Amino acid sequence: MPADTGSGESRSSERQRKEAHSLEKRDSDASGPASPRALTRPSPVSRASGPASPREEAYYRTELEYALGTPFTAGNHVEVMRNGVEIFPAMLDAIDAAEASIDLVTYVYWTGDIAQRFAEALARRAREGLRVRVVLDAVGTQKMSSEVVAQMREAGVEVRLFRPIKLPRPWQIDKRTHRKIMVCDDRLGFVGGVGIAAEWEGDARTPDEWRETHLLVSGPAVIGLHSAFLDNWNECGPWQWEPIRQGPPVHEDGLLVQCVRASSTIGWTESAAMLRSLVAVSQVRLRIVTAYFAPDDVLIEQIISALERGVSVELLVPGRHNDSRLSQLAGQPSIERLLDAGAKVWVFLPTMLHAKVITVDGRLACVGSVNVNHRSMGKDEECCALILSEAVTATLDGQFDDDCQRAQRLDADEFRRRGRWTQFMEQGARMLLEQL
């Protein structure tokens, strides 16, 4: 079942509590002389009560709000959902329960039973009088059945294609919406990495069932998700303005959530700023889960700097089951550098790992559509939710630990001895790094 962490109360296991205690002990043990790098870093911005210390909530909040320009909103409930077995029932239930509107934007809508079930559910609600709007990326949904699109449109679903491939505008081909967002009644939102396709069905038990992480969000953070949907919706059709029927609830026991929306551009996006900011604020432990690891040298240098200042860096990436061998090859030289610098790296074995998750210091979590690669950092439209919550972070850290039980940890010496042909292919792949 999805992990309901909205109350902020930790539901971590005894192992996770011991791990959290270990992190706190490490903080206290690290109170010796500061490194030259640490001495030159500016202090966190002062608040009314004085500067926030590292690992205090105000520290992360202030640093990320100033870096990304988007405030955290209070009063949110968040549920962490793992794999299609949890994600799809929650999304279909939300479609069934919607009272006025359903908005969906996705990069991936392919084929399979779940693709047909979503189409039928959306079509049914449109026939019942709800406003149903769907944005499909024109490149990412090429595998989608035209009959499914026709089924939805005939029922009254408004379907728009994001940046169709047109020869007069070839520059648009390279810049896609990679967002995966659904908002119901302007009050309940979903964000993460799931695609609507057979590959995401199941519980990541076999190569046919991909590993994924998605969030269900209730509260003011839904405004950011809705805005990200409208951003894509209004670009690929007539601009629409409709009053909000009812604002999202504000939960008294809710969490702080920052919604980061990145737009496609050249060379730099909010996604790049977010990834680099998450590395910069890390003090104790940085955990990264990504489907495609092909970062630029700036981010690798920054992660190595984090290792040098004593941060434990742990990375989980796809193994032999992956849908982009080219991306995997392009990222392997960067993995070698991180291994040599002391990072711990695992490759997931059972199936394709498609999740995009980052946790920081047991206090801060990021889930969304952003991969640690050039496409996410410099080309694609993305959306992520950053959550300041020990409970949410503990849930995601626990899932990281579970995944590592089904993964192989890479040995630096052994990895360095990979074959010459492999290294030759890596250099060839890196020539296309900015496209990966």
Side-chain angles (χ1 to χ4, degrees), residues 22-35:
S22 175
L23 287 173
E24 296 292 345
K25 184 177 186 299
R26 178 173 175 173
D27 275 357
S28 64
D29 290 345
S31 58
S35 67

Side-chain angles (χ1 to χ4, degrees), residues 65-83:
E65 287 182 342
Y66 270 75
L68 304 176
T70 303
F72 281 83
T73 60
N76 298 282
H77 277 184
V78 176
E79 291 185 15
V80 177
M81 299 175 292
R82 175 164 50 179
N83 301 328

Side-chain angles (χ1 to χ4, degrees), residues 73-77 218-221 249-257:
T73 60
N76 298 282
H77 277 184
S218 170
V250 179
H251 303 285
E252 291 184 5
D253 58 346
L255 306 175
L256 288 167
V257 177

Side-chain angles (χ1 to χ4, degrees), residues 91-105 118-135 152 156-159 181-188 190 226 229-230 233 242 245:
M91 294 181 72
L92 290 170
D93 285 348
I95 291 172
D96 288 342
E99 299 176 356
S101 64
I102 302 164
D103 295 320
L104 172 69
V105 55
F118 263 82
E120 291 172 355
L122 294 169
R124 183 180 69 255
R125 298 319 313 274
R127 285 193 297 268
E128 292 171 354
L130 274 68
R131 184 199 69 198
V132 182
R133 301 182 292 189
V134 175
V135 176
M152 290 193 289
V157 177
E158 301 175 71
V159 180
I181 298 169
M182 188 174 81
V183 176
C184 296
D185 295 333
D186 307 324
R187 295 167 56 83
L188 187 70
F190 295 81
H226 183 265
F229 167 81
L230 282 180
W233 175 257
E242 294 188 27
R245 176 175 172 270

